[in-house]
């Protein structure tokens, strides 16, 4: 536990480290086209820059508790920051695509360790009675990072070069490492003589890595039409099945799955998975919708997300205080899922004529919903764990959020593609040579093109292309509306799951949220 100036320096350092790690999960998305052109690679190959980072993140997150004990939490944390910073520099210096993909993987190894380790350090920095406040502060990074990534990426690509997406991490990372070295308390390595669970590490890397590749690349390569997707799916099932059996069997596992005996942690992990699904899917779908359908730039799209993000950041510490004062986390979670559902329902009602002002309210609801979910779920997940189990519980919970994001993006992307095929079939049946509205629309196009100097035959050809463009835009509009509606339904369906936890043993005692000591 820390007090005064030292305490808040640690808080700022931890939040900064969390934010830069999560920024890098989304900042590259808006730069893929530029990278592809500069590196002379296809868009499909360049997407591995995103995939490699996500794979490394999901592999390392559940191992952070084990590695922190073996190496010492302070040493492991500082080492992870330095690895993240060095890999960021090397990403910027890369001369070809596969160098960049390799360095992004190492960046993900360093960055993934920052999430759970940051949470554990925050819990140790605050006294037990202020742990809910610590959860609120930690949530700032989770909310801000993914949302401002596209804004920063769009601005940097428009005004500098894509390399600066990585270079900006260097001074921040070095400063965070220096402050961590000065202000974090030294921690000793585990001295219990435990052996390293090499088989568990191998199975985790193979199983989760394969699953992540399937999720990231499945839609691009038409899922099970690709032989390597089938092979990796089989490897995933076999590896993860053996991993679960092995980790429950040995005395010192790399992932202590026994903590999932806590029903509250198990249910929280499920809800955190849905939170990750909705949080990352919304940040994925809305920019695509705004840029491809409405016609906004990457930077304009990012700035539209900012008000909701800032609102969420403002209320997160207060939510921690509310939990600390005795409000049940489940009530805030229900409200969070409700607001997230409203966001989806409102977005599903927009159209091609919708202006930017319409999106302000639903995006505010998205930000508030995210805050109302992240803060209490972070507190609720570890509320019934023994002090020694908190780091592992936090790691598993963070992994579920990242996995939820991966599943969400993969499934939403696939859902949009399938709905696009169905919506196009529905629309095209009405676009016929005998349909009066189609005839009138085509003639309008013909008149317009002839007014701009085209011959009648040329104008007729152009009108057919214009009709096709209209159908395509309407097709994708309807598909994105379906995607937003799906997000709304998923969030609404989680509310009954939260109600189940209310019937469990109260986590509020004597008017305080009980979050065990992490020492």
């Amino acid at each position: 536990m820390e007090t005064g100036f030292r305490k808040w320096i640690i808080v700022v350092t931890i939040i900064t480290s969390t934010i830069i790690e999560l920024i890098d999960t989304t900042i590259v998305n808006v730069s893929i086209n530029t990278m592809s052109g500069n590196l002379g690679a296809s868009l499909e190959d360049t997407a591995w820059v995103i995939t490699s980072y996500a794979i490394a993140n999901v592999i390392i997150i559940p191992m952070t508790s084990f590695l922190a004990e073996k190496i010492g939490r302070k040493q492991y944390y500082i080492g992870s920051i330095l690895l993240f910073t060095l890999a960021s520099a090397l990403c910027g210096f890369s001369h070809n695509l596969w160098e960049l993909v390799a360095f992004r993987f190492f960046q993900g190894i360093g960055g993934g360790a920052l999430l759970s380790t940051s949470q554990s350090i925050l819990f140790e920095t605050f006294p037990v009675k202020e742990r809910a406040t610590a959860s609120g502060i930690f949530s700032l990074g989770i909310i801000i990072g993914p949302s401002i990534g596209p804004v920063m990426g769009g601005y940097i690509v428009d005004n500098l070069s894509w390399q600066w997406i990585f270079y900006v991490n260097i001074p921040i990372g070095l400063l965070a490492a220096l402050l961590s070295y000065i202000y974090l308390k030294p921690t000793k390595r585990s001295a219990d003589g435990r052996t390293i669970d090499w088989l568990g590490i191998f199975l985790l890397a193979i199983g989760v890595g394969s699953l992540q590749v399937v999720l990231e690349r499945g839609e691009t390569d038409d899922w099970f039409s690709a032989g390597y997707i089938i092979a990796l799916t089989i490897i995933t099932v076999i590896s993860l099945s053996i991993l679960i059996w092995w980790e429950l069997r040995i005395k010192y596992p790399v992932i202590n799955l026994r903590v999932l005996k806590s029903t509250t942690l198990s249910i929280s992990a499920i809800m955190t998975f849905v939170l990750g699904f909705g949080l990352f899917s919304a940040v994925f779908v809305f920019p695509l919708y705004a840029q491809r359908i409405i016609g906004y730039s990457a930077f304009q799209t990012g700035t539209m997300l900012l008000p909701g993000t800032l609102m969420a950041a403002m209320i997160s510490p207060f939510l921690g205080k509310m939990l600390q004062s005795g409000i049940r986390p489940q009530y805030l979670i229900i409200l969070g899922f409700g607001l997230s559902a409203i966001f989806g329902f409102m977005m599903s009602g927009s159209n091609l004529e919708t202006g930017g002002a319409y999106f302000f309210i639903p995006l505010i609801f998205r930000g508030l919903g995210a805050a109302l979910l992240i803060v209490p779920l972070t507190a609720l997940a570890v509320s019934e764990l023994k002090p020694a189990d908190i780091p592992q519980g936090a790691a598993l919970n963070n992994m579920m959020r990242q996995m939820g994001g991966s599943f969400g993006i993969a499934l939403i992307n696939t859902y949009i593609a399938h709905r696009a095929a169905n919506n196009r079939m529905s629309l095209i049946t009405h676009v016929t040579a005998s349909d009066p509205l189609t005839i009138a629309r085509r003639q309008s196009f013909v008149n317009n093109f002839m007014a701009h100097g085209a011959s009648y035959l040329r104008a007729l050809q152009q009108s057919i292309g214009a009709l096709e463009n209209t159908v395509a835009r309407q097709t994708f509009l309807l598909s994105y509306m379906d995607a937003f509606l799906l997000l709304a339904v998923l969030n609404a369906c989680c509310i009954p799951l939260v109600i189940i936890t209310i019937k469990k043993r109260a986590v509020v005692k004597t008017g305080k949220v009980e979050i065990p000591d992490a020492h």
Side-chain angles (χ1 to χ4, degrees), residues 106-174:
F106 288 111
Q107 188 190 35
I109 291 290
L114 299 181
L115 279 178
S116 301
T117 314
S118 294
Q119 189 174 352
S120 299
I121 292 172
L122 267 186
F123 277 0
E124 288 190 349
T125 302
F126 284 76
V128 176
K129 64 180 181 180
E130 295 180 8
R131 292 283 162 73
T133 302
S135 295
I137 294 172
F138 176 73
S139 301
L140 287 175
I142 299 174
I143 295 168
I144 294 173
S147 297
I148 68 173
V151 185
M152 288 185 61
Y155 180 83
I156 289 171
V157 169
D158 288 345
N159 295 278
L160 298 168
S161 65
W162 64 264
Q163 287 88 344
W164 280 96
I165 286 174
F166 303 110
Y167 292 154
V168 294
N169 293 330
I170 298 173
I172 299 173
L174 292 176

Side-chain angles (χ1 to χ4, degrees), residues 109-380:
I109 291 290
L114 299 181
L115 279 178
S116 301
T117 314
S118 294
Q119 189 174 352
S120 299
I121 292 172
L122 267 186
F123 277 0
E124 288 190 349
T125 302
F126 284 76
V128 176
K129 64 180 181 180
E130 295 180 8
R131 292 283 162 73
T133 302
S135 295
I137 294 172
F138 176 73
S139 301
L140 287 175
I142 299 174
I143 295 168
I144 294 173
S147 297
I148 68 173
V151 185
M152 288 185 61
Y155 180 83
I156 289 171
V157 169
D158 288 345
N159 295 278
L160 298 168
S161 65
W162 64 264
Q163 287 88 344
W164 280 96
I165 286 174
F166 303 110
Y167 292 154
V168 294
N169 293 330
I170 298 173
I172 299 173
L174 292 176
L175 179 61
L178 177 63
L179 293 175
S180 298
Y181 178 77
I182 295 171
Y183 290 102
L184 290 184
K185 287 182 177 179
T187 49
K188 297 180 180 179
R189 301 178 183 181
S190 175
D192 55 12
R194 66 174 64 184
T195 56
I196 297 177
D197 179 17
W198 291 111
L199 179 59
I201 293 173
F202 174 76
L203 291 170
L204 175 67
I206 294 298
V208 175
S210 299
L211 175 61
Q212 195 70 17
V213 173
V214 170
L215 293 174
E216 295 278 343
R217 304 295 296 170
E219 173 58 29
T220 302
D221 293 326
D222 198 20
W223 294 103
F224 298 109
S225 297
Y228 84 96
I229 293 290
I230 296 174
L232 288 178
T233 302
I234 295 171
I235 291 172
T236 297
V237 173
I238 294 174
S239 299
L240 294 184
S241 298
I242 297 174
L243 175 68
I244 293 170
W245 171 80
W246 177 252
E247 297 299 277
L248 292 174
R249 178 176 176 272
I250 64 173
K251 186 176 182 180
Y252 297 119
V254 68
I255 309 174
N256 183 13
L257 296 175
R258 297 178 183 91
V259 298
L260 291 173
K261 290 180 180 178
S262 166
T263 308
T264 299
L265 174 60
S266 299
I267 294 177
S268 296
I270 295 172
M271 291 188 289
T272 300
F273 180 90
V274 177
L275 163 65
F277 191 111
L279 183 67
F280 287 95
S281 295
V283 174
F284 172 76
V285 173
F286 178 75
L288 287 178
Y289 170 64
Q291 292 174 56
R292 293 182 178 179
I293 306 302
I294 307 298
Y296 293 153
S297 69
F299 183 69
Q300 288 174 320
T301 303
T303 55
M304 291 178 68
L305 291 168
L306 274 183
T309 302
L310 294 175
M311 184 73 72
M314 288 170 58
I315 71 165
S316 290
F318 295 103
L319 292 175
K321 291 286 186 182
M322 291 170 66
L323 291 171
Q324 192 175 306
S325 69
I327 292 180
R328 295 289 293 273
Q330 290 93 330
Y331 299 144
L332 297 180
I333 293 170
I334 289 172
L335 181 58
F337 278 125
L339 288 175
S340 298
I342 292 172
F343 158 75
F345 280 120
M346 290 186 69
M347 289 300 302
S348 68
S350 59
N351 55 56
L352 295 176
E353 306 302 321
T354 300
Y358 176 86
F359 300 125
F360 182 80
I361 297 300
L363 288 173
I364 289 289
F365 285 160
R366 186 200 75 85
L368 292 176
L372 286 162
L373 288 170
I374 293 171
V375 177
L377 279 174
T378 302
L380 184 65

Side-chain angles (χ1 to χ4, degrees), residues 411-426:
L411 294 179
I412 284 292
N413 208 13
T414 302
Y415 182 73
I416 289 172
H418 281 248
R419 291 305 303 158
N422 292 333
N423 289 329
R424 180 176 176 82
M425 287 298 297
S426 298

Side-chain angles (χ1 to χ4, degrees), residues 63-75:
M63 295 170 54
T64 52
S65 174
F66 172 82
L67 293 173
E69 287 184 16
K70 293 297 294 184
I71 300 171
R73 182 175 295 149
K74 178 177 179 178
Q75 298 91 313

